[in-house]
Amino acid sequence: MKKSFSIGIASLLLLGCDTTGVEKNAEGIIDPVDTVSQVNILDSEQEVVEQKKLENGITIKWFEHGSGEKLKHGDCVDIDFKVQLDDGVIVDGNHLINKKSIPFIIGFGLQTEGWDIAMKELLVGDFVEIFIPSKLARGEKGIKDLIPPNADNVLRVRIIERNKPTREVDGNKVWVFEENGANEVKFSENNEIEFHCVVSSPSNPRYVNTYRDNNPFRLRLEDGGLVPGLKKALINAKKADRMFVYVPASEGYGDKGYQDLVKPGEDILYNILVMHVTDK
């Protein structure tokens, strides 16, 4: 069951690609990078220096202890990782799409529940292997032609660094991971913006997916009924920007929540690709 592309990484990278450390040529085009050394690091025999088993069945084995900050909800970190099944088949990993690392936001179900639980046990700089039981991975459903039902996952991951937001306003954080420098028109009160996004709350990952519906959002700053934090975060966005936007509850739906999609007091994560910024 050899796969060259994985559903997990595809959904994550489609919306928020990281180009940190990726080599570019004189025209600014990303060149393919040699990922052999990365794969070797993740695949090589490692001495376990510490082990911890959680009550939910997750087991973490440390190969290297980092010296950075402990990870927490809402952190954005660069990771180098691979996921394999019990039979050794690799089903996910940044090297499969020739990336040295990818960005990952903790706490919003960008991957499986087991990821968010385990990540909060780690520090920046940690290199670990994490056993994730099937109930905290893809469970009974699995993923057709990729992950069988009730399959346990083994995640090897290096926490490379914690990313500072590209910009922040009133507690709303924006991480821009790809942008085209040739695009100069910025979203403001003079423009309309069109963007695709996947929207998640901690309790309800991907409750909106405009790609699935093929129906991107369009908005102007004067439009009513919109999350205030999203408006603020999108100011100065440009066509082709790929970004994460973290909106705290106070700038989102607050103590009321939103229908059965966002619980009272929950933060929101937008995974965005800007399609167009045009004059009104």
Side-chain angles (χ1 to χ4, degrees), residues 8-62:
I9 197 74
S11 62
L12 183 59
L13 267 292
L14 175 68
L15 302 165
C17 295
D18 174 36
T19 57
T20 302
V22 176
E23 297 177 0
K24 297 184 179 181
N25 61 26
E27 288 73 35
I29 305 300
I30 297 175
D31 286 328
V33 295
D34 178 12
T35 59
V36 173
S37 60
Q38 297 166 254
V39 177
N40 285 345
I41 291 173
L42 294 177
D43 286 342
S44 62
E45 289 291 329
Q46 299 286 336
E47 179 183 355
V48 177
V49 297
E50 184 181 352
Q51 181 170 317
K52 182 177 183 179
K53 185 170 183 177
L54 307 183
E55 293 181 359
N56 53 29
I58 290 176
T59 300
I60 305 174
K61 297 178 180 178
W62 276 264

Side-chain angles (χ1 to χ4, degrees), residues 264-278:
E266 280 195 318
D267 306 328
I268 312 168
L269 179 68
Y270 293 84
N271 217 334
I272 290 174
L273 169 60
V274 179
M275 306 299 292
H276 300 286
V277 178
T278 56

Side-chain angles (χ1 to χ4, degrees), residues 159-262:
I159 311 300
I160 298 172
E161 64 180 345
R162 182 174 179 269
N163 291 316
K164 293 182 179 180
T166 306
R167 56 182 179 267
E168 185 172 358
V169 54
D170 295 337
N172 302 288
K173 300 176 183 178
V174 180
W175 293 269
V176 179
F177 293 107
E178 279 193 0
E179 60 180 329
N180 186 334
N183 295 328
E184 298 181 353
V185 179
K186 298 180 179 180
F187 179 56
S188 70
E189 66 275 5
N190 300 316
N191 311 105
E192 179 177 272
I193 190 169
E194 177 181 334
F195 59 95
H196 272 298
C197 67
V198 174
V199 190
S200 300
S201 65
S203 65
N204 198 354
R206 299 174 297 280
Y207 70 83
V208 170
N209 185 340
T210 65
Y211 289 92
R212 179 184 58 217
D213 303 329
N214 194 27
N215 186 25
F217 287 151
R218 295 176 179 85
L219 67 86
R220 297 170 295 180
L221 286 179
E222 66 265 28
D223 291 344
L226 296 171
V227 170
L230 178 61
K231 285 186 180 181
K232 297 174 183 179
L234 286 173
I235 293 174
N236 292 324
K238 306 184 303 300
K239 179 181 178 179
D241 280 358
R242 294 181 183 265
M243 64 182 76
F244 288 138
V245 173
Y246 171 91
V247 176
S250 59
E251 289 282 307
Y253 297 108
D255 294 333
K256 294 182 178 180
Y258 177 62
Q259 299 180 0
D260 59 347
L261 302 175
V262 181

Side-chain angles (χ1 to χ4, degrees), residues 8 92 111-112 134 136-143 147-148 151 153 206:
D92 208 348
Q111 286 277 3
T112 64
S134 62
L136 297 174
R138 298 296 176 179
E140 296 180 355
K141 294 183 179 180
I143 297 178
I147 299 178
N153 288 186
R206 299 174 297 280

Side-chain angles (χ1 to χ4, degrees), residues 78-92:
D78 277 346
I79 61 172
D80 177 17
F81 81 101
K82 72 169 186 176
V83 179
Q84 64 185 43
L85 306 180
D86 289 338
D87 59 5
V89 172
I90 297 174
V91 295
D92 208 348

